Amino acid sequence: MNIAIVLNTSWNVYNFRMGLIKALQEQNYKVTVIAPKDEYTSRLIDAGCDYEEVKLDSRGANVIKDIGLIFELVKIYRKVKPDVVLHYTIKPNIYGTMAAKWLNIPAVNNVCGLGTVFLKKNFVSKVASWMYKISFKFPRKVFFQNNYDKRLFIKNGLVKEGISDILPGSGIDLEKFKASGNKKSGPFTFLLISRLIHDKGILEYINAIKILKSEGLDARFQLLGPKDPEHKRGIKNEIVEEWISSNTVEYLGTTDDVREFINNADCVVLPSYREGTPKSLLEAASSCKPIVTTNVPGCKDVVTHNYNGLLCKVKDSNDLALKMREMFSKDQSELSSFGKNGRTKVEQEYSEKIVIDKYLKTIKSLVS
């Protein structure tokens, strides 16, 4: 049996889906990854995956241009002959589903998050909703990463409730992410892990840092994640360079393993405007780190206010600074309690095993 996984980057597959891929391989499924080629493609091949390149621009929304994806994916699916196709992210979900329907291949979709098009009600969001409504008539199963997104799709008639289900994001490897056991020394350290785009609340984080520094708060403020200036909502390189040169924030660049940076932080911050289930918060909670994040879908699923972190208002630098200052002021026992509570929460609700078991059960029902 051949299972195809279609995503917008090979990086995304390698960093978020390898647990599922290994589980499929252990069940003697052949796994074919269909994604744009990048520096992680060779790692997928080394992990035993077959690979097919697809040209897919994840940065913008051009419906006319993207329609060509349907024909490209039809060609690839004919060549690969998958028994089931697993789609992730907006464009594979929409155009990949249409290609799979064309060839009568069962499709399983995963709405990882609504993306930037749903943050504003405009022409683009209306077109995206229409495309979802058309394409989501055809998948055999649609997984959502939080109840808010699921209810929104059902309420707006974008998907039938009978094929909808909830997954705890991509899950978390509880053995890989756990408390380091090392007592941290030095200044209190805040860490934000994200691609540098506006919708992750990067500007709010920078403004909150400026507020806290003006008040004399003795802390370190770090930012870890790739620059993406070509993205429609990306932050320009010159702006990031100004933050660095002015010592506003410590920019840590990118990494293949975030554990060292999480373990060296006292608090992980994510002021995102909306999420599916944010991976960085799962990694932080699993690593017993307190969290400050926004009171929005996805983020508030992972963080319970005053239990394993603090929730702030969205797009509000002042309230973010207030919550960061509150976290800074807590004593070590309170911070440790938040960390332990976060670990308990992800153990009970977000284990990667939950995700893998649901996928295996769904695939077996389709191929049988």
Side-chain angles (χ1 to χ4, degrees):
M1 293 290 181
N2 184 10
I3 308 299
I5 294 180
V6 189
L7 252 159
N8 58 1
T9 64
S10 294
W11 174 89
N12 195 320
V13 181
Y14 186 81
N15 282 279
F16 299 138
R17 312 297 164 191
M18 284 309 299
L20 174 60
I21 287 173
K22 290 176 182 176
L24 290 169
Q25 291 171 334
E26 288 170 1
Q27 295 289 319
N28 294 319
Y29 291 112
K30 182 170 81 169
V31 177
T32 301
V33 173
I34 302 170
K37 185 176 289 185
D38 59 33
E39 62 269 27
Y40 288 83
T41 302
S42 60
R43 303 189 191 193
L44 296 171
I45 296 170
D46 291 342
C49 299
D50 286 5
Y51 172 76
E52 292 291 332
E53 182 179 6
V54 62
K55 293 179 176 62
L56 193 161
D57 181 7
S58 63
R59 291 187 174 93
N62 185 326
V63 175
I64 302 300
K65 179 181 176 182
D66 292 337
I67 289 294
L69 264 178
I70 300 175
F71 300 101
E72 186 178 3
L73 288 170
V74 165
K75 183 179 179 181
I76 293 172
Y77 292 173
R78 276 184 174 147
K79 175 183 176 182
V80 171
K81 295 181 172 58
D83 295 280
V84 179
V85 183
L86 311 182
H87 298 120
Y88 299 84
T89 66
I90 294 175
K91 292 185 180 182
N93 276 338
I94 292 175
Y95 305 110
T97 301
M98 293 179 179
K101 173 60 179 176
W102 191 330
L103 300 174
N104 201 30
I105 301 169
V108 178
N109 292 358
N110 188 314
V111 180
C112 308
L114 299 189
T116 59
V117 295
F118 278 89
L119 291 173
K120 296 180 180 179
K121 291 186 177 180
N122 53 27
F123 175 74
V124 175
S125 65
K126 288 180 180 179
V127 172
S129 295
W130 179 76
M131 295 296 289
Y132 270 123
K133 191 168 188 176
I134 297 298
S135 61
F136 272 30
K137 293 178 180 180
F138 307 124
R140 303 289 286 275
K141 176 75 74 174
V142 177
F143 287 119
F144 293 87
Q145 298 197 359
N146 62 64
N147 273 303
Y148 309 98
D149 292 350
K150 178 185 173 186
R151 287 198 295 266
L152 178 66
F153 269 58
I154 293 171
K155 178 182 177 181
N156 290 312
L158 306 183
V159 69
K160 293 180 180 178
E161 187 169 6
I163 64 170
S164 305
D165 199 357
I166 296 290
L167 282 177
S170 53
I172 188 72
D173 185 338
L174 298 169
E175 287 303 309
K176 182 178 180 181
F177 290 92
K178 53 188 176 182
S180 65
N182 299 325
K183 183 173 176 59
K184 187 181 173 300
S185 60
F188 193 98
T189 300
F190 293 97
L191 171 66
L192 192 160
I193 306 171
S194 172
R195 189 165 47 127
L196 303 193
I197 61 174
H198 287 269
D199 304 315
K200 299 298 183 179
I202 306 295
L203 295 185
E204 285 77 7
Y205 180 59
I206 295 297
N207 289 334
I209 292 171
K210 292 178 179 178
I211 292 170
L212 294 171
K213 284 191 171 185
S214 71
E215 296 172 351
L217 194 78
D218 183 22
R220 295 176 68 183
F221 304 94
Q222 298 180 334
L223 179 59
L224 174 66
K227 300 174 186 177
D228 196 357
E230 300 303 318
H231 192 283
K232 186 177 180 181
R233 300 284 291 161
I235 297 170
K236 301 302 181 185
N237 285 338
E238 54 267 29
I239 295 176
V240 178
E241 290 304 317
E242 192 279 326
W243 297 340
I244 297 170
S245 62
S246 63
N247 294 318
T248 301
V249 70
E250 295 178 54
Y251 178 58
L252 305 175
T254 61
T255 181
D256 288 336
D257 192 344
V258 299
R259 287 176 293 181
E260 176 186 356
F261 300 98
I262 291 175
N263 289 334
N264 287 331
D266 294 285
C267 174
V268 172
V269 182
L270 183 65
S272 180
Y273 300 169
R274 189 184 181 108
E275 293 284 333
T277 299
K279 189 75 169 182
S280 66
L281 297 191
L282 293 183
E283 292 167 346
S286 187
S287 303
C288 296
K289 295 296 176 179
I291 297 167
V292 173
T293 191
T294 36
N295 187 21
V296 298
C299 295
K300 66 181 180 180
D301 292 271
V302 178
V303 175
T304 301
H305 188 63
N306 273 326
Y307 175 73
N308 64 316
L310 300 174
L311 296 175
C312 68
K313 299 174 183 176
V314 66
K315 300 183 182 180
D316 191 329
S317 301
N318 290 305
D319 194 49
L320 174 60
L322 180 68
K323 298 304 191 298
M324 290 171 68
R325 189 186 308 112
E326 182 180 341
M327 189 68 78
F328 174 88
S329 301
K330 292 185 178 297
D331 60 36
Q332 190 56 49
S333 64
E334 291 177 296
L335 295 173
S336 296
S337 178
F338 271 18
K340 291 176 182 176
N341 292 343
R343 175 71 186 191
T344 298
K345 186 175 178 68
V346 295
E347 285 176 346
Q348 293 175 347
E349 302 176 26
Y350 290 96
S351 169
E352 187 178 51
K353 186 177 184 302
I354 299 171
V355 177
I356 291 171
D357 287 347
K358 279 202 172 186
Y359 264 106
L360 290 178
K361 182 178 179 181
T362 300
I363 290 169
K364 287 178 180 176
S365 71
L366 294 177
V367 299
S368 64

Short mmCIF file of all heavy atoms in Angstrom, two decimals, residues 207-243:
data_model
loop_
_atom_site.label_atom_id
_atom_site.label_comp_id
_atom_site.label_asym_id
_atom_site.label_seq_id
_atom_site.Cartn_x
_atom_site.Cartn_y
_atom_site.Cartn_z
N ASN A 207 7.54 45.46 20.28
CA ASN A 207 7.04 46.64 20.99
C ASN A 207 6.94 46.39 22.49
O ASN A 207 7.21 47.30 23.30
CB ASN A 207 5.68 47.05 20.43
CG ASN A 207 5.78 47.64 19.04
OD1 ASN A 207 6.81 48.18 18.66
ND2 ASN A 207 4.71 47.52 18.25
N ALA A 208 6.54 45.18 22.87
CA ALA A 208 6.48 44.84 24.30
C ALA A 208 7.89 44.87 24.91
O ALA A 208 8.07 45.33 26.05
CB ALA A 208 5.85 43.47 24.48
N ILE A 209 8.87 44.39 24.16
CA ILE A 209 10.26 44.43 24.64
C ILE A 209 10.69 45.87 24.88
O ILE A 209 11.30 46.19 25.91
CB ILE A 209 11.20 43.76 23.61
CG1 ILE A 209 10.94 42.25 23.54
CG2 ILE A 209 12.66 44.02 23.96
CD1 ILE A 209 11.67 41.56 22.39
N LYS A 210 10.37 46.76 23.96
CA LYS A 210 10.73 48.17 24.10
C LYS A 210 10.09 48.77 25.34
O LYS A 210 10.72 49.56 26.08
CB LYS A 210 10.33 48.94 22.85
CG LYS A 210 11.14 48.58 21.62
CD LYS A 210 10.66 49.33 20.38
CE LYS A 210 11.50 48.97 19.15
NZ LYS A 210 11.00 49.66 17.93
N ILE A 211 8.84 48.41 25.60
CA ILE A 211 8.15 48.90 26.80
C ILE A 211 8.86 48.41 28.06
O ILE A 211 9.15 49.19 28.98
CB ILE A 211 6.68 48.44 26.79
CG1 ILE A 211 5.89 49.12 25.67
CG2 ILE A 211 6.02 48.71 28.15
CD1 ILE A 211 4.51 48.54 25.44
N LEU A 212 9.16 47.11 28.10
CA LEU A 212 9.78 46.51 29.29
C LEU A 212 11.19 47.05 29.51
O LEU A 212 11.61 47.29 30.65
CB LEU A 212 9.79 44.99 29.16
CG LEU A 212 8.40 44.34 29.15
CD1 LEU A 212 8.50 42.86 28.81
CD2 LEU A 212 7.72 44.52 30.51
N LYS A 213 11.93 47.25 28.43
CA LYS A 213 13.28 47.80 28.56
C LYS A 213 13.24 49.24 29.05
O LYS A 213 14.10 49.67 29.84
CB LYS A 213 14.03 47.70 27.23
CG LYS A 213 14.51 46.28 26.91
CD LYS A 213 15.48 46.27 25.74
CE LYS A 213 16.12 44.90 25.58
NZ LYS A 213 17.16 44.87 24.52
N SER A 214 12.25 50.01 28.61
CA SER A 214 12.12 51.40 29.05
C SER A 214 11.81 51.47 30.53
O SER A 214 12.11 52.49 31.19
CB SER A 214 11.03 52.12 28.25
OG SER A 214 9.74 51.65 28.61
N GLU A 215 11.23 50.40 31.07
CA GLU A 215 10.92 50.33 32.50
C GLU A 215 12.07 49.76 33.32
O GLU A 215 11.97 49.64 34.53
CB GLU A 215 9.66 49.48 32.72
CG GLU A 215 8.40 50.08 32.10
CD GLU A 215 7.21 49.14 32.14
OE1 GLU A 215 7.39 47.95 32.49
OE2 GLU A 215 6.09 49.59 31.83
N GLY A 216 13.15 49.37 32.61
CA GLY A 216 14.32 48.87 33.31
C GLY A 216 14.27 47.40 33.67
O GLY A 216 15.04 46.94 34.53
N LEU A 217 13.39 46.61 33.01
CA LEU A 217 13.30 45.18 33.32
C LEU A 217 14.60 44.48 32.93
O LEU A 217 15.04 44.57 31.78
CB LEU A 217 12.12 44.57 32.57
CG LEU A 217 11.70 43.16 33.05
CD1 LEU A 217 10.90 43.27 34.34
CD2 LEU A 217 10.86 42.46 31.99
N ASP A 218 15.20 43.79 33.86
CA ASP A 218 16.48 43.11 33.62
C ASP A 218 16.23 41.70 33.10
O ASP A 218 16.19 40.73 33.86
CB ASP A 218 17.30 43.07 34.92
CG ASP A 218 18.68 42.44 34.71
OD1 ASP A 218 19.16 42.43 33.55
OD2 ASP A 218 19.26 41.94 35.70
N ALA A 219 16.04 41.58 31.80
CA ALA A 219 15.74 40.28 31.19
C ALA A 219 16.37 40.22 29.81
O ALA A 219 16.77 41.23 29.23
CB ALA A 219 14.23 40.06 31.09
N ARG A 220 16.45 39.00 29.27
CA ARG A 220 16.89 38.80 27.90
C ARG A 220 15.67 38.48 27.04
O ARG A 220 14.74 37.81 27.48
CB ARG A 220 17.89 37.64 27.81
CG ARG A 220 19.19 37.88 28.54
CD ARG A 220 20.09 36.66 28.51
NE ARG A 220 20.59 36.39 27.16
CZ ARG A 220 21.36 35.34 26.86
NH1 ARG A 220 21.69 34.46 27.81
NH2 ARG A 220 21.80 35.15 25.62
N PHE A 221 15.71 38.95 25.80
CA PHE A 221 14.60 38.76 24.89
C PHE A 221 15.15 38.17 23.60
O PHE A 221 15.96 38.79 22.91
CB PHE A 221 13.90 40.09 24.62
CG PHE A 221 13.43 40.79 25.86
CD1 PHE A 221 14.24 41.75 26.47
CD2 PHE A 221 12.21 40.50 26.42
CE1 PHE A 221 13.82 42.41 27.61
CE2 PHE A 221 11.77 41.15 27.57
CZ PHE A 221 12.59 42.10 28.18
N GLN A 222 14.68 36.96 23.27
CA GLN A 222 15.25 36.23 22.14
C GLN A 222 14.18 35.93 21.09
O GLN A 222 12.99 35.81 21.40
CB GLN A 222 15.88 34.92 22.63
CG GLN A 222 17.03 35.13 23.60
CD GLN A 222 17.65 33.83 24.07
OE1 GLN A 222 17.00 32.78 24.07
NE2 GLN A 222 18.92 33.88 24.45
N LEU A 223 14.64 35.78 19.85
CA LEU A 223 13.77 35.49 18.71
C LEU A 223 14.46 34.43 17.86
O LEU A 223 15.59 34.63 17.41
CB LEU A 223 13.54 36.77 17.91
CG LEU A 223 12.67 36.71 16.65
CD1 LEU A 223 11.28 36.20 16.98
CD2 LEU A 223 12.60 38.09 16.01
N LEU A 224 13.77 33.31 17.66
CA LEU A 224 14.33 32.19 16.91
C LEU A 224 13.38 31.81 15.79
O LEU A 224 12.21 31.52 16.03
CB LEU A 224 14.53 30.99 17.85
CG LEU A 224 14.96 29.66 17.22
CD1 LEU A 224 16.36 29.78 16.63
CD2 LEU A 224 14.91 28.54 18.27
N GLY A 225 13.88 31.81 14.56
CA GLY A 225 13.04 31.39 13.44
C GLY A 225 13.51 32.02 12.15
O GLY A 225 14.21 33.04 12.14
N PRO A 226 13.11 31.44 11.02
CA PRO A 226 13.59 31.91 9.72
C PRO A 226 12.96 33.23 9.29
O PRO A 226 11.78 33.49 9.56
CB PRO A 226 13.18 30.78 8.77
CG PRO A 226 11.99 30.16 9.43
CD PRO A 226 12.24 30.26 10.91
N LYS A 227 13.75 34.06 8.64
CA LYS A 227 13.20 35.25 7.99
C LYS A 227 12.42 34.81 6.75
O LYS A 227 12.75 33.80 6.13
CB LYS A 227 14.33 36.19 7.58
CG LYS A 227 15.20 36.68 8.74
CD LYS A 227 16.37 37.48 8.22
CE LYS A 227 17.33 37.86 9.33
NZ LYS A 227 18.53 38.59 8.82
N ASP A 228 11.39 35.56 6.41
CA ASP A 228 10.60 35.23 5.21
C ASP A 228 10.11 36.52 4.56
O ASP A 228 8.91 36.79 4.50
CB ASP A 228 9.43 34.32 5.58
CG ASP A 228 8.80 33.64 4.37
OD1 ASP A 228 9.25 33.92 3.24
OD2 ASP A 228 7.87 32.85 4.56
N PRO A 229 11.04 37.36 4.09
CA PRO A 229 10.66 38.68 3.56
C PRO A 229 9.82 38.61 2.29
O PRO A 229 9.14 39.58 1.95
CB PRO A 229 12.00 39.36 3.30
CG PRO A 229 12.97 38.23 3.11
CD PRO A 229 12.50 37.15 4.03
N GLU A 230 9.84 37.47 1.58
CA GLU A 230 9.07 37.33 0.34
C GLU A 230 7.60 37.02 0.61
O GLU A 230 6.76 37.16 -0.28
CB GLU A 230 9.68 36.23 -0.53
CG GLU A 230 11.14 36.48 -0.92
CD GLU A 230 11.33 37.80 -1.64
OE1 GLU A 230 10.48 38.11 -2.50
OE2 GLU A 230 12.30 38.50 -1.33
N HIS A 231 7.29 36.59 1.82
CA HIS A 231 5.91 36.30 2.18
C HIS A 231 5.10 37.60 2.17
O HIS A 231 5.62 38.67 2.51
CB HIS A 231 5.87 35.67 3.57
CG HIS A 231 4.54 35.08 3.94
ND1 HIS A 231 3.46 35.85 4.33
CD2 HIS A 231 4.11 33.79 3.99
CE1 HIS A 231 2.43 35.07 4.61
NE2 HIS A 231 2.79 33.82 4.40
N LYS A 232 3.84 37.50 1.78
CA LYS A 232 2.98 38.68 1.71
C LYS A 232 2.93 39.40 3.04
O LYS A 232 2.81 40.64 3.09
CB LYS A 232 1.57 38.26 1.27
CG LYS A 232 0.62 39.43 1.02
CD LYS A 232 -0.72 38.94 0.53
CE LYS A 232 -1.69 40.11 0.28
NZ LYS A 232 -3.02 39.64 -0.19
N ARG A 233 3.01 38.66 4.14
CA ARG A 233 2.97 39.24 5.48
C ARG A 233 4.31 39.14 6.18
O ARG A 233 4.41 39.25 7.39
CB ARG A 233 1.88 38.55 6.31
CG ARG A 233 0.47 38.66 5.74
CD ARG A 233 -0.11 40.03 5.99
NE ARG A 233 -0.37 40.25 7.40
CZ ARG A 233 -0.53 41.44 7.96
NH1 ARG A 233 -0.42 42.52 7.21
NH2 ARG A 233 -0.78 41.56 9.24
N GLY A 234 5.36 38.91 5.40
CA GLY A 234 6.68 38.77 5.97
C GLY A 234 7.26 40.10 6.42
O GLY A 234 6.88 41.16 5.95
N ILE A 235 8.20 40.04 7.36
CA ILE A 235 8.87 41.23 7.88
C ILE A 235 10.16 41.44 7.10
O ILE A 235 10.96 40.50 6.94
CB ILE A 235 9.15 41.07 9.39
CG1 ILE A 235 7.81 40.96 10.14
CG2 ILE A 235 9.95 42.26 9.93
CD1 ILE A 235 7.93 40.58 11.58
N LYS A 236 10.38 42.63 6.61
CA LYS A 236 11.52 42.94 5.75
C LYS A 236 12.83 42.75 6.51
O LYS A 236 12.93 43.03 7.70
CB LYS A 236 11.42 44.36 5.22
CG LYS A 236 10.16 44.64 4.41
CD LYS A 236 10.03 43.70 3.22
CE LYS A 236 8.79 43.98 2.39
NZ LYS A 236 8.61 42.99 1.31
N ASN A 237 13.84 42.31 5.78
CA ASN A 237 15.16 42.06 6.38
C ASN A 237 15.74 43.30 7.05
O ASN A 237 16.36 43.21 8.12
CB ASN A 237 16.13 41.55 5.32
CG ASN A 237 15.87 40.10 4.94
OD1 ASN A 237 15.26 39.35 5.70
ND2 ASN A 237 16.31 39.70 3.76
N GLU A 238 15.54 44.47 6.43
CA GLU A 238 16.13 45.68 7.00
C GLU A 238 15.52 46.03 8.35
O GLU A 238 16.18 46.59 9.23
CB GLU A 238 16.00 46.86 6.03
CG GLU A 238 14.60 47.14 5.54
CD GLU A 238 14.27 46.46 4.22
OE1 GLU A 238 14.84 45.38 3.95
OE2 GLU A 238 13.45 47.01 3.46
N ILE A 239 14.26 45.67 8.54
CA ILE A 239 13.60 45.90 9.84
C ILE A 239 14.21 44.98 10.90
O ILE A 239 14.51 45.41 12.02
CB ILE A 239 12.08 45.69 9.73
CG1 ILE A 239 11.48 46.74 8.79
CG2 ILE A 239 11.42 45.75 11.10
CD1 ILE A 239 10.00 46.56 8.53
N VAL A 240 14.39 43.72 10.54
CA VAL A 240 14.99 42.76 11.47
C VAL A 240 16.41 43.20 11.81
O VAL A 240 16.84 43.14 12.98
CB VAL A 240 14.99 41.34 10.87
CG1 VAL A 240 15.66 40.36 11.84
CG2 VAL A 240 13.56 40.89 10.56
N GLU A 241 17.16 43.65 10.81
CA GLU A 241 18.53 44.09 11.05
C GLU A 241 18.57 45.30 11.99
O GLU A 241 19.50 45.44 12.80
CB GLU A 241 19.21 44.43 9.72
CG GLU A 241 19.51 43.22 8.85
CD GLU A 241 20.36 42.18 9.55
OE1 GLU A 241 21.33 42.57 10.25
OE2 GLU A 241 20.05 40.98 9.43
N GLU A 242 17.58 46.18 11.89
CA GLU A 242 17.52 47.33 12.79
C GLU A 242 17.29 46.88 14.23
O GLU A 242 17.88 47.43 15.16
CB GLU A 242 16.41 48.28 12.33
CG GLU A 242 16.44 49.65 13.01
CD GLU A 242 15.79 49.65 14.39
OE1 GLU A 242 14.82 48.89 14.58
OE2 GLU A 242 16.28 50.39 15.26
N TRP A 243 16.42 45.86 14.42
CA TRP A 243 16.21 45.31 15.76
C TRP A 243 17.51 44.76 16.34
O TRP A 243 17.79 44.92 17.52
CB TRP A 243 15.16 44.20 15.73
CG TRP A 243 13.79 44.62 15.29
CD1 TRP A 243 13.28 45.89 15.29
CD2 TRP A 243 12.76 43.77 14.80
NE1 TRP A 243 11.99 45.88 14.83
CE2 TRP A 243 11.64 44.59 14.53
CE3 TRP A 243 12.65 42.40 14.57
CZ2 TRP A 243 10.45 44.07 14.03
CZ3 TRP A 243 11.48 41.88 14.08
CH2 TRP A 243 10.38 42.72 13.81
#
